[in-house]
Amino acid sequence: MAYIKDTIAAIATPPGKGGVGIVRISGPVAVRIGKEISKRETEPRVATLVSFYDDRGRTIDQGLLICFQGPHSFTGEDLIELQGHGGPVVMDLLLKRAIQLGARQAGPGEFSQRAFLNDKIDLVQAEAIADLINSSSEQAALGSMRSLQGDFSNQINSTLKKLVQLRVLVEAAADFPEDGIEAEINKDEKEKLKYLLNQLDQLLEGAKEGHAFSQGVSLVLTGKPNAGKSSLMNALCKRDVSIVTEIPGTTRDVVREDAIIEGVTFRILDTAGTRQAKNKIEAEGVKRALKEVERADIVLNLVDVSENIELEMMEELEKNKRAKEIVVYNKVDLLHKKSIPSSFQCVSVKTGGGLQKLKKRLIKELGVLSGGDSIFSARRRHITAIEQARIHILEAIGFIGIENQIDLLAEELRLAQLALDSITGTFTSDDLLGEIFNNFCIGK
Amino acid sequence: MKAFDVIVVGGGHAGTEAALASARAGASTLLLTQNIETIGQMSCNPAIGGIGKSHLVKEIDALGGAMGIAADRAGIHWRILNSRKGPAVQATRAQADRALYKAAIRKIVETQVGLSIFQQSVVDLRFKGQKVDSVITDSGLRIKTKGLVLTVGTFLGGVIHVGLNKQTGGRMGDGPSNLLAQKLRDIEFGVDRLKTGTPPRIDGKTVNFGLLEEQPGESQRPTMSFLGKPEDHPRQVLCHIAHTNEKTHDIIRKGLDRSPLFTGQIEGVGPRYCPSIEDKIERFSDKNQHQIFIEPEGLGTQELYPNGISTSLPYDVQLDLVRSIKGFEDAHITRPGYAIEYDFFEPRNLYPSLQTKKIVGLFFAGQINGTTGYEEAAAQGLIAGLNAARLSQEKEPWVPKRSEAYVGVMIDDLVTMGTKEPYRMFTSRAEYRLILRQDNADRRLTPKGRELGIIDEKRWTKFCEKRDRIDEISKKIKKIFISAEDKKVNAMLNKPLGREYSVFEVMKRPEIKGMALLEAAGLKMISSSVAEQIEIDCKYQGYISRQEKEVEKNKSHFDQPIPSDFCFDSIPGLSNEAKQKLALIKPKNLGQAGRIPGMTPAAVSLLMVYLKKGDSIQNVQAD
């Protein structure tokens, strides 16, 4: 039974700089996508060496293309695999190209789900599929939450707020023409839309450049001075990049270094400890540290347990931490009898104890194990959504001031919001009406 | 008394459409009303249509209903709303003469074959197990039926408030249906209270119209029914616009201590889009005036309906506030305004067919489901009546989808999300607004209505003529070309053609008017309604096909049916909250499940997997 008629795509291999990465595409237009991305026909079930091209005909990568015709494929639908050189940049470009060519980014567990729905997986495995959907949607939610930290989230929300204001005006003019609402949608609104467009462009730039795609995962070390941040950085990078002393406040600026952990590149940033700064230079360092925390994918908050820290305080720390934050309890070697719950992340940078566990935790946090549902795919999803919203805003601008087409203007604005909603959560027509009733005195 | 296939209780807008649809569908139908004289009564404002509402009227009409025809016979002032904002949000509204409207509905009801009217109050309902059996009336009659449609409006536990005085009643002058209310409360349908209100009515001869702003109707009058003609309309009159002022607002503020709305006497939730004047002044205190539409009650009366000052303040405050309005200095109130609270039942206890989930054969339509408005009630009535008839004939129910009709949007909203305030239709509720227009209601629904057996020969013939003409012209305009030098056409355009284009291509330009271009292209003898469809089809083509594609894409996915006995508890990964909601709403298909507030895409995915699992087990057993 064919349940769904669209085509899905996802990166099937864990993100990171692995040797080979695979983008998998399944659905009715999968074969066409394969043809267009490689600019050639390939024989089914034969691995063919091809070049993958982007929308302007430039080579993205060279690799293998394998095409499986439904029902003889993993999902039971037409399915292609693009095997390229691993690494987030190439994989992301391939995925992006597949989406441009008509695929949709796959939801959590969707490939397996389709396989099941098309009788390619045994009935007995229904529970396993359910688990997969559940666990990977949790991962996706986490990934999404992390991607939405800091500036990015603020910007998205402020953009959405402005979009909703415009929609309230347009929809109110359409649904309540007799309630004295300014019916003319004119120059002012055009300017507002252009401003929105500009904001979306900035968001895109920020999301594309400032984030993990090309440079890896940004990992920021914070904590009180002398908690051992610089030592941890050196341990993770396996060489001395930060100056380590016993004097609190040694690191005054942000120190950056790359480390490869389980094949994933982490851009580690060691920051000045957050304390009341003793001088101007240190104060500037603290300020920069806070900014880096905002931008980071993962924050390691180092706590020195050798300083009198009560269990209650730790629990408080765990409770109040950010979504992307891991509290790391350092210097456990100095503890004698105090016991710390095993769920808390403990290390001794000095002895090396707990470092392996910490590294594993970092990889787990990225959602690497579940394959396509990590912070990387979350961000790709967000970028796709912003790009779509941008197209609709652009269309909407064209309808401003044109008589008889406020309904089309309203439609474009609705679609723009629908796209952004996929990032921030649903905004229903009832929410919209609520906004209208709050803003205008409606009703005869 | 003999048994009927379907009994409809209530002769309001929901009841009459329900009874008519049931009879048209071929079921022997009985309409029970407390008072035959109130059949088709407009209890609130004297108008039919408006934004989102004329969409519903035209859908009712496209399915053979009465509301549009009655509005054409009673409309004494016509307006096209949003005439310059695009066809999808354009709407029609008629001020209706109450007496003419009532008479038109009465005539249609009385002449309907297979429909009997009987003046009786229903005091009890009898069930056999979980199935409708009969109704008991106040004269002790017991009448058996297979399908029972309750359209009791605001009569269930109705309480009327004027100031701090309250009395029971279903409408000023008519008693409530308390026995029936108690009976239904006992079945535990999940009862709650809503509130609505009306303004004081004014004696027209005490108003100085010279001080009011005139609001004339359209010179080119539209019609509500597909079968209607402007010639059907009675004599036309003017409406007027007045305004409240600071003095009015002061009077209201001083009276708030005797407002049942502000002293907590009224518990029911009122509509946010139709607030009382005291509400408006409290919530938007910065506005120094509010509009009042002065609507005539009819041709045969002087009474006026001042739309915009619905209130439950005491009579003395009402009089002062009315007389503070310019032009109303000497006004006389003929009937005080009042608020009414009434019972409604949680609409999530209904299937989309509007049958209750608890009792087979029992259907609810109208305000009992938490809606407000004549049009909303009538549309539900039609669907409930039709489905009650189909149930009695052992046929599957029919309900339009969200992508097919506003009626479908409304019913899906009600049964999936419920409502917290009286539910009213707005165009913004429809995600497929561009394809659900008032101008194409006939094209969307009449063929379906014909299939269901509720469209008569006369309407069907006229519909087919129009449909065939549209098809014919649509083909022609792709083959007729306009030369680059065509003076007539270039004069219509902001930018001249530049090269040869087909009529189809030129029609897409926003500044082009359909009829004018068709005439310039030599296509004569085309009716304005056909030209309108051709124009909109061309201009909206991209959008329409995009929405249609969307509908098509979701079809296989969202139309996946969920068996009514499906056990949601058996799905291990679902949260308890999701399980509870699914068990309450019993969604008919995956699409509806996905629209339940709080359902995540992952939950829908899980549901899909387990539906498939259920299927496979059944198949295995069948093998």
Side-chain angles (χ1 to χ4, degrees):
Chain A
M1 194 189 305
Y3 281 81
I4 302 159
K5 286 184 181 165
D6 61 354
T7 300
I8 52 172
I11 301 169
T13 42
K17 286 185 178 166
V20 177
I22 299 174
V23 170
R24 196 177 266 165
I25 304 162
S26 174
V29 300
V31 174
R32 178 179 61 77
I33 292 175
K35 215 159 85 184
E36 287 186 32
I37 208 166
S38 65
K39 295 191 181 173
R40 58 182 280 186
E41 302 263 357
T42 56
E43 216 176 303
R45 312 189 76 79
V46 175
T48 315
L49 182 65
V50 299
S51 291
F52 303 124
Y53 298 96
D54 71 6
D55 54 340
R56 286 195 249 162
R58 295 172 303 196
T59 310
I60 299 170
D61 193 13
Q62 273 202 328
L64 297 179
L65 188 150
I66 314 174
C67 156
F68 303 89
Q69 278 174 332
H72 308 291
S73 71
F74 169 59
T75 55
E77 306 171 323
D78 284 354
L79 182 144
I80 62 162
E81 280 187 10
L82 312 176
Q83 305 189 350
H85 294 94
V89 185
V90 170
M91 286 295 109
D92 184 60
L93 285 172
L94 287 177
L95 178 60
K96 182 179 161 191
R97 182 71 186 130
I99 292 169
Q100 273 175 356
L101 290 170
R104 159 175 75 75
Q105 200 168 357
E110 213 173 353
F111 280 91
S112 303
Q113 187 193 10
R114 288 193 176 193
F116 174 76
L117 295 175
N118 291 321
D119 296 313
K120 300 304 283 188
I121 299 184
D122 204 315
L123 183 60
V124 187
Q125 295 180 15
E127 272 80 9
I129 303 280
D131 283 348
L132 177 66
I133 290 173
N134 263 338
S135 68
S136 40
S137 51
E138 268 165 35
Q139 288 280 6
L142 262 179
S144 189
M145 214 162 30
R146 290 214 186 86
S147 167
L148 268 178
Q149 297 284 326
D151 289 355
F152 183 67
S153 158
N154 292 340
Q155 259 179 302
I156 283 269
N157 284 327
S158 91
T159 308
L160 250 180
K161 214 167 142 189
K162 292 199 179 75
L163 179 57
V164 168
Q165 281 169 2
L166 274 166
R167 283 197 70 204
V168 162
L169 190 72
V170 172
E171 294 287 343
D175 264 341
F176 307 98
E178 293 176 301
D179 287 284
I181 296 156
E182 189 53 51
E184 298 294 317
I185 311 289
N186 52 29
K187 267 190 203 153
D188 269 10
E189 280 64 43
K190 197 166 199 160
E191 285 313 308
K192 282 180 191 158
L193 279 174
K194 281 186 180 159
Y195 178 76
L196 270 181
L197 198 66
N198 194 359
Q199 277 197 316
L200 290 175
D201 283 340
Q202 279 181 17
L203 268 168
L204 277 177
E205 218 155 278
K208 279 176 181 162
E209 283 182 5
H211 290 102
F213 284 98
S214 45
Q215 292 113 326
V217 181
S218 72
L219 176 73
V220 168
L221 306 177
T222 67
K224 284 191 182 149
N226 219 15
K229 297 180 293 295
S230 302
S231 302
L232 179 60
M233 172 140 181
N234 291 341
L236 289 171
C237 300
K238 293 178 186 147
R239 57 194 155 111
D240 291 342
V241 285
S242 267
I243 305 160
V244 182
T245 70
E246 280 165 15
I247 309 160
T250 306
T251 308
R252 287 176 171 174
D253 196 359
V254 178
V255 180
R256 298 160 200 270
E257 188 64 25
D258 284 359
I260 296 174
I261 300 170
E262 309 265 332
V264 181
T265 306
F266 286 82
R267 282 177 68 221
I268 307 184
L269 290 91
D270 182 11
T271 61
T274 41
R275 65 166 180 180
Q276 202 60 46
K278 292 270 188 321
N279 57 52
K280 257 189 178 171
I281 301 173
E282 198 188 334
E284 179 61 25
V286 170
K287 208 172 121 194
R288 286 190 193 180
L290 289 173
K291 213 168 160 191
E292 291 300 338
V293 166
E294 278 294 297
R295 286 191 198 150
D297 294 319
I298 297 181
V299 175
L300 293 185
N301 181 9
L302 238 66
V303 176
D304 182 351
V305 287
S306 66
E307 285 185 9
N308 286 326
I309 178 165
E310 302 293 328
L311 187 59
E312 276 171 26
M313 284 168 72
M314 293 190 195
E315 277 165 355
E316 199 65 18
L317 279 170
E318 293 288 335
K319 214 172 86 191
N320 295 329
K321 68 183 183 185
R322 284 167 281 241
K324 61 181 178 182
E325 176 179 333
I326 304 173
V327 187
V328 180
Y329 303 92
N330 189 22
K331 308 189 189 178
V332 282
D333 54 312
L334 297 177
L335 285 186
H336 296 294
K337 280 172 189 151
K338 265 189 224 162
S339 65
I340 299 178
S342 60
S343 60
F344 291 13
Q345 200 72 45
C346 297
V347 292
S348 164
V349 178
K350 200 170 158 194
T351 66
L355 269 181
Q356 276 312 317
K357 255 173 114 176
L358 177 62
K359 286 180 183 174
K360 284 221 170 82
R361 170 82 181 271
L362 285 174
I363 298 298
K364 198 179 150 206
E365 286 290 315
L366 285 179
V368 165
L369 296 176
S370 63
D373 292 299
S374 60
I375 188 166
F376 293 95
S377 56
R379 207 157 276 156
R380 164 50 54 208
R381 225 182 282 274
H382 294 163
I383 288 175
T384 310
I386 296 168
E387 279 169 346
Q388 269 173 4
R390 196 184 172 281
I391 291 170
H392 292 302
I393 297 286
L394 209 57
E395 287 285 328
I397 291 175
F399 284 122
I400 296 262
I402 294 192
E403 192 169 274
N404 254 327
Q405 298 195 330
I406 285 187
D407 49 358
L408 297 184
L409 169 66
E411 174 72 359
E412 294 295 352
L413 293 180
R414 184 181 75 89
L415 292 172
Q417 191 179 4
L418 210 60
L420 292 184
D421 275 355
S422 65
I423 303 177
T424 56
T426 325
F427 184 87
T428 64
S429 65
D430 219 47
D431 295 334
L432 180 74
L433 285 166
E435 288 288 320
I436 293 178
F437 300 141
N438 285 336
N439 282 289
F440 301 106
C441 180
I442 296 292
K444 294 209 273 181
Chain B
M1 195 157 186
K2 73 159 190 159
F4 284 85
D5 291 337
V6 173
I7 291 179
V8 177
V9 180
H13 306 281
T16 48
E17 293 293 353
L20 288 166
S22 166
R24 284 202 305 281
S28 66
T29 306
L30 180 69
L31 174 64
L32 289 175
T33 167
Q34 287 189 357
N35 182 355
I36 288 183
E37 302 307 324
T38 58
I39 285 180
Q41 172 99 308
M42 308 174 98
S43 308
C44 193
N45 63 319
I48 298 285
I51 308 228
K53 287 168 168 277
S54 67
H55 293 75
L56 287 170
V57 179
K58 294 197 176 230
E59 289 176 359
I60 294 165
D61 184 68
L63 291 167
M67 185 168 249
I69 295 168
D72 279 333
R73 290 183 194 159
I76 52 176
H77 180 274
W78 292 80
R79 294 251 295 150
I80 298 171
L81 305 170
N82 283 343
S83 60
R84 284 144 53 107
K85 290 185 191 153
V89 295
Q90 198 171 104
T92 311
R93 191 182 55 216
Q95 295 305 138
D97 178 304
R98 283 184 202 276
L100 291 176
Y101 186 84
K102 209 157 85 171
I105 291 286
R106 174 105 171 246
K107 187 175 172 195
I108 296 168
V109 170
E110 284 180 348
T111 51
Q112 173 66 48
V113 177
L115 173 60
S116 312
I117 311 169
F118 194 31
Q119 181 166 303
Q120 289 286 299
S121 255
V122 172
V123 295
D124 201 2
L125 311 176
R126 293 286 161 84
F127 308 128
K128 252 195 189 136
Q130 298 302 101
K131 227 171 156 175
V132 160
D133 177 71
S134 52
V135 300
I136 309 291
T137 72
D138 52 354
S139 353
L141 290 169
R142 175 173 173 175
I143 316 169
K144 279 179 80 84
T145 186
K146 290 177 199 152
L148 177 61
V149 185
L150 291 188
T151 68
V152 289
T154 57
F155 280 65
L156 290 183
V159 175
I160 291 171
H161 303 261
V162 182
L164 299 179
N165 292 326
K166 57 178 177 177
Q167 61 185 93
T168 59
R171 171 169 56 212
M172 198 56 105
D174 294 300
S177 310
N178 282 340
L179 289 169
L180 197 55
Q182 194 49 50
K183 176 77 187 175
L184 293 169
R185 278 181 177 243
D186 291 346
I187 308 176
E188 293 181 8
F189 285 117
V191 67
D192 216 333
R193 299 286 274 174
L194 287 177
K195 173 232 130 183
T196 185
T198 72
R201 314 288 167 85
I202 312 288
D203 183 347
K205 68 175 179 286
T206 63
V207 173
N208 185 351
F209 286 101
L211 296 175
L212 306 182
E213 183 187 326
E214 280 186 3
Q215 196 189 34
E218 306 288 338
S219 48
Q220 294 260 321
R221 291 199 304 274
T223 59
M224 214 56 103
S225 172
F226 176 72
L227 299 173
K229 299 183 290 293
E231 299 85 78
D232 300 338
H233 300 167
R235 177 166 64 84
Q236 300 294 298
V237 296
L238 279 177
C239 286
H240 292 85
I241 296 176
H243 293 94
T244 62
N245 52 48
E246 288 293 2
K247 198 177 151 204
T248 321
H249 299 185
D250 280 342
I251 293 167
I252 293 167
R253 277 187 208 108
K254 276 184 201 136
L256 286 183
D257 58 331
R258 287 186 292 147
S259 154
L261 208 58
F262 287 91
T263 56
Q265 184 178 309
I266 291 181
E267 303 158 19
V269 181
R272 284 172 299 175
Y273 43 82
C274 190
S276 62
I277 186 68
E278 48 267 40
D279 234 351
K280 287 186 201 172
I281 278 148
E282 270 296 290
R283 287 187 45 221
F284 295 90
S285 52
D286 53 325
K287 285 196 85 170
N288 50 22
Q289 64 167 39
H290 293 274
Q291 266 190 121
I292 313 168
F293 294 84
I294 309 299
E295 303 173 353
E297 290 262 317
L299 298 175
T301 173
Q302 299 258 27
E303 231 180 346
L304 298 172
Y305 189 95
N307 206 342
I309 52 167
S310 128
T311 180
S312 54
L313 286 163
Y315 170 74
D316 59 300
V317 183
Q318 291 190 20
L319 189 64
D320 285 350
L321 90 84
V322 166
R323 289 188 170 172
S324 71
I325 296 162
K326 199 169 139 197
F328 286 75
E329 292 80 359
D330 301 315
H332 171 69
I333 292 180
T334 50
R335 312 177 204 205
Y338 62 90
I340 179 162
E341 280 186 290
Y342 55 96
D343 285 356
F344 83 106
F345 293 106
E346 168 59 82
R348 286 181 294 180
N349 286 319
L350 301 172
Y351 289 117
S353 64
L354 299 179
Q355 184 179 205
T356 61
K357 286 169 187 163
K358 287 200 168 163
I359 308 288
V360 176
L362 181 61
F363 294 76
F364 287 169
Q367 278 168 306
I368 190 173
N369 291 336
T371 63
T372 174
Y374 308 145
E375 302 81 358
E376 286 81 354
Q380 290 169 69
L382 186 144
I383 297 297
L386 169 68
N387 285 323
R390 291 180 71 79
L391 181 82
S392 76
Q393 297 158 343
E394 293 172 11
K395 289 177 185 161
E396 284 294 305
W398 176 78
V399 185
K401 297 192 189 106
R402 293 185 74 91
S403 54
E404 289 173 328
Y406 273 88
V407 185
V409 172
M410 171 173 65
I411 291 178
D412 183 68
D413 279 351
L414 289 171
V415 304
T416 311
M417 298 189 292
T419 188
K420 290 186 191 73
E421 69 182 324
Y423 180 98
R424 203 208 111 154
M425 187 43 78
F426 299 107
T427 67
S428 51
R429 294 197 195 270
E431 62 275 38
Y432 298 111
R433 176 160 67 188
L434 296 180
I435 49 181
L436 301 184
R437 303 182 311 271
Q438 65 162 10
D439 62 75
N440 70 355
D442 54 333
R443 293 170 79 189
R444 287 185 275 126
L445 296 169
T446 300
K448 188 69 208 175
R450 180 72 175 175
E451 230 175 86
L452 293 162
I454 52 175
I455 298 297
D456 64 17
E457 219 43 53
K458 182 180 160 202
R459 183 185 290 269
W460 183 242
T461 310
K462 201 175 164 207
F463 170 79
C464 291
E465 276 169 22
K466 180 181 169 189
R467 181 192 59 191
D468 296 347
R469 190 80 170 130
I470 293 170
D471 287 351
E472 178 201 331
I473 306 290
S474 302
K475 277 181 202 137
K476 274 192 187 159
I477 55 168
K478 289 188 179 161
K479 290 180 197 142
I480 300 177
F481 288 82
I482 309 256
S483 88
E485 284 81 40
D486 192 310
K487 277 191 188 132
K488 240 187 194 168
V489 174
N490 278 329
M492 298 177 200
L493 292 167
N494 296 343
K495 235 168 68 191
L497 285 174
R499 69 170 176 85
E500 193 182 63
Y501 282 99
S502 71
V503 176
F504 172 73
E505 289 296 328
V506 181
M507 191 70 91
K508 286 182 176 173
R509 301 258 192 117
E511 63 268 33
I512 284 287
K513 297 268 175 283
M515 188 66 116
L517 180 66
L518 291 175
E519 274 173 6
L523 290 161
K524 300 274 157 59
M525 301 286 290
I526 295 172
S527 73
S528 59
S529 68
V530 169
E532 182 190 32
Q533 291 306 297
I534 301 283
E535 178 183 339
I536 296 171
D537 283 353
C538 294
K539 289 205 168 85
Y540 277 58
Q541 193 214 21
Y543 281 87
I544 293 169
S545 60
R546 186 157 86 189
Q547 292 209 330
E548 279 171 352
K549 257 189 213 150
E550 181 81 18
V551 173
E552 198 50 42
K553 199 178 89 188
N554 291 336
K555 220 176 207 167
S556 55
H557 182 177
F558 292 136
D559 287 357
Q560 158 93 359
I562 302 174
S564 55
D565 57 349
F566 189 79
C567 177
F568 298 103
D569 269 342
S570 67
I571 304 176
L574 277 185
S575 71
N576 284 331
E577 189 199 350
K579 282 180 189 170
Q580 270 174 15
K581 281 184 177 161
L582 287 165
L584 166 71
I585 290 165
K586 295 193 176 75
K588 286 276 179 193
N589 54 43
L590 269 185
Q592 195 193 347
R595 287 190 296 274
I596 297 172
M599 282 288 280
T600 60
V604 177
S605 293
L606 286 175
L607 194 52
M608 206 195 278
V609 165
Y610 277 82
L611 279 173
K612 164 81 178 174
K613 190 185 171 191
D615 269 4
S616 311
I617 290 170
Q618 271 174 8
N619 290 342
V620 171
Q621 284 165 348
D623 291 345

